[in-house]
Amino acid sequence: MKQMLNIALPKGRLGEKVYAMFEQAGFECPAIKEKNRKLVFENPEAGVRYFWVKPVDVAIYVERGAADIGVVGKDIIMETEPDVYELLDLKTGKCNMAVAAPADFRDNQSRTLRVATKFSNIARSYYASMDRDIDIIHLNGSIELAPILGLSDVIVDIVETGNTLRANKLEVVEFFAPISARLISNKASFKFLHDEIEAVMDGLEKIVREKEEKK
Ligand code: PRP
């Protein structure tokens, strides 16, 4: 029997879209569609075992080899810089990393800028590249609240539709990094399960290409 590939998928909307791509590529696992709270699903015939993981944790599973491959947002790769191979841009889950602030915000360069974010490392390196002194306020969600309540001057966060910003009267100051879902691989797995991983990569690449051509 062929070696099963362990695949970590991000739980949630992005994960469902991404699983559909694996399915189209020939790595289906019908059990995954059953409505239950199970986290592991396998299809030995197709040689795949999927597990649903919190999106921010996918790279940890892959880096440490609990998963051979996985799908993770470029935002999380930029923030955590995991020691993995980035194999393919799946061109889904697209959004942008941005600085946003209230409409009347004017940056006073003589003062330390207070930046609220879930992405402390990304924010730190972005402002370091501009030699701007900042004070990071690390939050875990609802980042848009921080400037409204005076907790921060600006936020660094992902913007997809822009609805959350608009609803909270914030505006984009700058988009500075395009984000999308990436296929990543554990480094040792890439060596020892090379053919299996390459088959998934090639299958997904074809699906991505077909989707792009239809646009
Ligand atoms: C993300 C992000 C923004 C929002 C952007 O939050 O942090 O708040 O989505 O999407 P939009 O531009 O389409 O409105 P998420 O839903 O992950 O929740 P969070 O507040 O818990 O981070």
Side-chain angles (χ1 to χ4, degrees), residues 144-190:
E144 292 81 1
L145 257 183
I148 296 175
L149 301 182
L151 179 61
S152 76
D153 302 305
V154 301
I155 64 171
V156 166
D157 202 5
I158 46 178
V159 178
E160 189 183 349
T161 59
N163 289 341
T164 313
L165 290 184
R166 270 189 295 279
N168 293 289
K169 300 199 171 60
L170 301 177
E171 290 181 357
V172 171
V173 176
E174 191 185 5
F175 287 118
F176 65 92
I179 306 294
S180 57
R182 307 297 161 101
L183 178 70
I184 59 172
S185 169
N186 173 269
K187 289 189 166 174
S189 302
F190 193 70

Side-chain angles (χ1 to χ4, degrees), residues 3-179:
Q3 178 84 33
M4 276 226 262
L5 267 188
N6 287 307
I7 306 172
L9 294 180
K11 199 152 67 168
R13 211 159 45 96
L14 175 64
E16 279 162 30
K17 272 199 212 167
V18 165
Y19 168 72
M21 293 172 74
F22 278 80
E23 189 178 64
Q24 284 169 32
F27 300 94
E28 74 286 348
C29 183
I32 211 165
K33 299 207 167 148
E34 290 163 11
K35 288 267 169 281
N36 58 37
R37 307 272 301 165
K38 266 173 68 174
L39 297 172
V40 183
F41 302 90
E42 59 183 52
N43 179 1
E45 284 82 59
V48 285
R49 180 186 294 122
Y50 292 101
F51 25 91
W52 293 123
V53 172
K54 263 216 159 214
V56 294
D57 293 338
V58 167
I60 299 173
Y61 281 79
V62 174
E63 182 175 54
R64 291 179 173 264
D68 301 304
I69 56 175
V71 173
V72 62
K74 182 70 179 174
D75 51 337
I76 292 159
I77 298 180
M78 287 166 68
E79 177 65 18
T80 63
E81 298 185 345
D83 188 18
V84 297
Y85 294 129
E86 192 180 315
L87 300 180
L88 182 66
D89 182 351
L90 297 176
K91 305 206 172 155
T92 185
K94 285 188 186 173
C95 52
N96 275 283
M97 191 61 67
V99 178
D104 59 1
F105 167 73
R106 296 288 170 274
D107 192 4
N108 177 350
Q109 297 278 342
S110 65
R111 287 182 42 199
T112 301
L113 185 70
R114 295 169 308 154
V115 182
T117 188
K118 290 191 275 214
F119 302 100
S120 296
N121 294 329
I122 294 176
R124 218 174 268 122
S125 71
Y126 170 74
Y127 283 105
S129 73
M130 297 192 295
D131 250 341
R132 182 75 174 92
D133 274 340
I134 60 164
D135 179 12
I136 297 262
I137 299 155
H138 187 93
L139 299 175
N140 296 298
S142 303
I143 314 299
E144 292 81 1
L145 257 183
I148 296 175
L149 301 182
L151 179 61
S152 76
D153 302 305
V154 301
I155 64 171
V156 166
D157 202 5
I158 46 178
V159 178
E160 189 183 349
T161 59
N163 289 341
T164 313
L165 290 184
R166 270 189 295 279
N168 293 289
K169 300 199 171 60
L170 301 177
E171 290 181 357
V172 171
V173 176
E174 191 185 5
F175 287 118
F176 65 92
I179 306 294

